[in-house]
Amino acid sequence: MADQAMQRMSVDDFLAWEARQEPNYELVDGQPVMMTGGTAAHDILRGSVNIAFRQALRGRPCRAHLDLKVVCPSGNVRYPDAQIDCGPTTPGDVAAHGPVVVVEVVSPSSQVTDYIAKVRN
């Protein structure tokens, strides 16, 4: 990990590297950033959003997801708390191909990142 963090990673290199890691990482400005665990309240909120999305999308071509990555136009790779993806999907996909809605559950400790950096992505 230390050698990888010293140099900027491409999205493709990151996706191959991250597939072998525990826990999950995001790619931010070319650097892997380990994701931290959430709280029970955070988990309940993201689950509730996902349930609402799934119910609203029933019978439609788009899908609700909790754990798919989003490759941002900026080159960053993020894990939104919930999302709606309307792109083509195969069972082995690890990233969304057509995200149209992404949701972040904001907490006091994450608000700067969630409201500024992730919105820009």
Side-chain angles (χ1 to χ4, degrees):
M1 169 64 188
D3 291 340
Q4 288 283 21
M6 297 294 188
Q7 56 188 340
R8 289 182 59 88
M9 295 177 81
S10 71
V11 170
D12 289 338
D13 289 343
F14 170 76
L15 293 174
W17 175 84
E18 200 256 351
R20 301 184 308 271
Q21 306 307 307
E22 287 290 332
N24 291 336
Y25 286 77
E26 291 185 328
L27 182 66
V28 180
D29 299 329
Q31 300 297 314
V33 176
M34 185 171 49
M35 294 179 58
T36 59
T39 64
H42 181 273
D43 192 57
I44 290 167
L45 283 170
R46 74 189 281 259
S48 296
V49 168
N50 189 55
I51 289 168
F53 282 171
R54 285 181 184 271
Q55 290 173 342
L57 295 169
R58 192 167 286 140
R60 297 174 190 233
C62 299
R63 293 147 318 278
H65 294 287
L66 286 173
D67 293 316
L68 281 185
K69 299 172 197 63
V70 171
V71 178
C72 306
S74 65
N76 289 343
V77 178
R78 301 287 192 170
Y79 279 95
D81 288 316
Q83 67 177 290
I84 295 175
D85 181 33
C86 294
T89 302
T90 62
D93 286 342
V94 297
H97 295 287
V100 296
V101 175
V102 294
V103 174
E104 286 294 331
V105 176
V106 179
S107 67
S109 64
S110 71
Q111 66 184 351
V112 170
T113 298
D114 291 339
Y115 283 135
I116 298 172
K118 289 185 177 182
V119 170
R120 286 181 184 153
N121 289 166

